[in-house]
Amino acid sequence: MRRVLDSRSRPLRDLRISVTDRCNFRCTYCMPKEIFGRDFAFLPREQLLTFEEITRLTRTFACQGVSKVRLTGGEPLLRRDLEQLVAMLAGIDEITDVALTTNGSALAGKAKTLKDAGLTRVTVSLDALDDQTFAAMNDVGFPVARVLAGIDAARAAGLVPVKVNTVVKRGVNDHGITEMADHFRGSGHILRFIEYMDVGTTNGWRMDHVVPAAEIIAAINERWPLAPLEPNYAGEVASRYRYRDGAGEIGVIASVTQPFCSACSRARVSADGKLYTCLFAAQGHDLRALLRSGANDHELATRLRAIWSDRADRYSELRHSNTTDRPKIEMSYIGG
Ligand code: SAM
Ligand code: SF4
Ligand code: SF4
């Protein structure tokens, strides 16, 4: 394996692969209905990378130092036979971790199959515990109980601990922060609050919609005292805390108020095979064209190394309060 560093000496360690740009939710902060309506042109099937293409790409990334892969989307469980892809990726020697981020809507029926195929970890997004607030976030009225059933199924399948991601939007679901904390305290699962980010250009992001992580931690700490924990590894995006009474762990992802670009080691591949070196990038590098033009493994590896070596992204460190006027790729296309 040959490690590659970018222009800011950051290694390439993690790969996030979007397997579809479609979703059965319309979270207002990600796929607002006004844009992603009936007429929205999602990618046609032939433009999606096949499982074989994804596996070949992942093998090439693995030769450059990647050991962790996360499948995302859109909603990854909408991609048929996803467990086959999980098994193919888990079969790559250097890949030690195959994870999934899902809205949990179809997890109850699939958790065991995914675990049996080699999935190592699952993150379930859940923004509220009451149906009314959850509906205000996902905008399709999906019941909370079915997502909780998905989390239970993941636990039963041995995908533990389950991480639960909650995006906090001021005035919409911030009243439920302590209720979420209370629900997952002592469950063995790890709840993480995410600051609402200005990804894409369609969600109408404003700085005053962001609830800073420090405010979230202060609110929880007031009810149940917290103590900070060391990161599990260099470059971990969540700041970790433990409940002083022993009820487990909680985290915050402060991408807006405390950017972590200096340790960002993530590459992202969209469902149609474009490589993005930053969540906020305006343009990707077309790997599908290279794959389909018959490039050999050496040519593919050389291209990946050249792209990563050139990388200088640090968008969150440079962000200013009004960023939505700049072209940026949508979260549902690139994956979280
Ligand atoms: N559909 C899956 C899900 O929701 O978990 C996977 C894809 S989704 C784009 C990945 C993650 O990005 C989710 O946890 C979601 O809450 C988060 N996300 C989407 N838009 C966001 C935004 N504007 N700010 C912060 N997080 C966001
Ligand atoms: Fe779908 Fe996930 Fe985006 Fe919500 S955050 S619209 S569930 S892709
Ligand atoms: Fe990484 Fe870009 Fe996010 Fe900075 S803004 S942490 S470089 S994805």
Side-chain angles (χ1 to χ4, degrees):
M1 188 219 300
R2 294 175 61 213
R3 288 207 169 270
V4 54
L5 299 179
D6 72 7
S7 71
R8 298 181 173 276
S9 301
R10 296 170 295 190
L12 170 55
R13 281 209 196 95
D14 308 283
L15 177 60
R16 304 201 146 210
I17 304 167
S18 171
V19 293
T20 177
D21 58 338
R22 292 166 200 257
C23 188
N24 54 335
F25 285 13
R26 286 292 176 273
C27 302
T28 57
Y29 51 79
C30 179
M31 296 179 79
K33 266 185 185 159
E34 313 82 74
I35 310 288
F36 295 88
R38 253 176 226 291
D39 303 335
F40 186 82
F42 289 102
L43 292 167
R45 192 172 172 82
E46 66 276 9
Q47 289 196 21
L48 301 183
L49 291 186
T50 63
F51 288 173
E52 287 71 23
E53 287 170 331
I54 293 174
T55 306
R56 181 162 174 230
L57 262 188
T58 305
R59 202 174 287 121
T60 314
F61 274 99
C63 292
Q64 317 308 317
V66 165
S67 56
K68 292 182 183 177
V69 181
R70 178 171 294 275
L71 301 177
T72 177
E75 174 45 42
L77 293 182
L78 292 186
R79 179 92 184 238
R80 207 181 305 150
D81 303 326
L82 191 74
E83 62 280 3
Q84 287 178 12
L85 177 63
V86 168
M88 289 159 84
L89 299 178
I92 300 174
D93 280 348
E94 297 86 349
I95 300 297
T96 53
D97 200 8
V98 182
L100 173 76
T101 302
T102 171
N103 63 23
S105 58
L107 190 57
K110 293 190 179 164
K112 181 156 181 354
T113 314
L114 290 164
K115 166 75 176 167
D116 291 347
L119 192 75
T120 45
R121 292 185 302 139
V122 67
T123 299
V124 179
S125 305
L126 177 63
D127 294 334
L129 287 169
D130 68 280
D131 282 333
Q132 199 184 344
T133 311
F134 192 37
M137 295 297 273
N138 68 51
D139 215 9
V140 294
F142 196 86
V144 171
R146 283 175 58 191
V147 180
L148 292 176
I151 295 173
D152 288 347
R155 184 212 301 269
L159 288 164
V160 283
V162 176
K163 285 191 179 141
V164 179
N165 276 0
T166 301
V167 174
V168 184
K169 197 170 171 191
R170 182 153 337 255
V172 184
N173 68 335
D174 52 339
H175 61 276
I177 290 172
T178 48
E179 188 192 357
M180 289 290 290
D182 194 21
H183 183 88
F184 288 104
R185 266 168 52 78
S187 68
H189 303 319
I190 302 176
L191 176 64
R192 303 174 328 161
F193 291 102
I194 307 180
E195 287 180 351
Y196 172 38
M197 291 186 285
D198 50 333
V199 198
T201 49
T202 60
N203 62 13
W205 182 89
R206 293 203 327 250
M207 194 65 178
D208 55 5
H209 290 153
V210 179
V211 179
E215 192 179 320
I216 297 170
I217 289 301
I220 298 169
N221 183 56
E222 199 175 302
R223 275 288 268 290
W224 303 284
L226 296 169
L229 285 170
E230 289 297 314
N232 282 316
Y233 51 88
E236 188 173 30
V237 298
S239 305
R240 304 168 57 219
Y241 295 83
R242 65 176 175 82
Y243 289 106
R244 286 186 187 271
D245 64 4
E249 179 182 333
I250 197 159
V252 279
I253 303 181
S255 10
V256 177
T257 61
Q258 296 158 53
F260 32 77
C261 300
S262 61
C264 180
S265 56
R266 293 179 170 179
R268 295 176 156 88
V269 174
S270 62
D272 59 349
K274 295 211 172 63
L275 169 61
Y276 291 83
T277 55
C278 176
L279 190 49
F280 298 91
Q283 262 170 352
H285 306 266
D286 191 353
L287 299 180
R288 188 190 64 197
L290 196 63
L291 283 168
R292 293 188 183 174
S293 71
N296 64 30
D297 288 350
H298 177 71
E299 285 162 341
L300 209 49
T302 305
R303 181 84 182 108
L304 289 188
R305 294 181 72 81
I307 294 169
W308 194 262
S309 309
D310 249 11
R311 175 182 190 246
D313 307 273
R314 54 186 194 108
Y315 175 85
S316 288
E317 288 180 353
L318 304 173
R319 171 192 284 116
H320 55 87
S321 58
N322 178 14
T323 56
T324 47
D325 49 355
R326 178 182 177 277
K328 283 179 276 154
I329 203 72
E330 296 299 323
M331 185 77 136
S332 54
Y333 170 74
I334 196 177

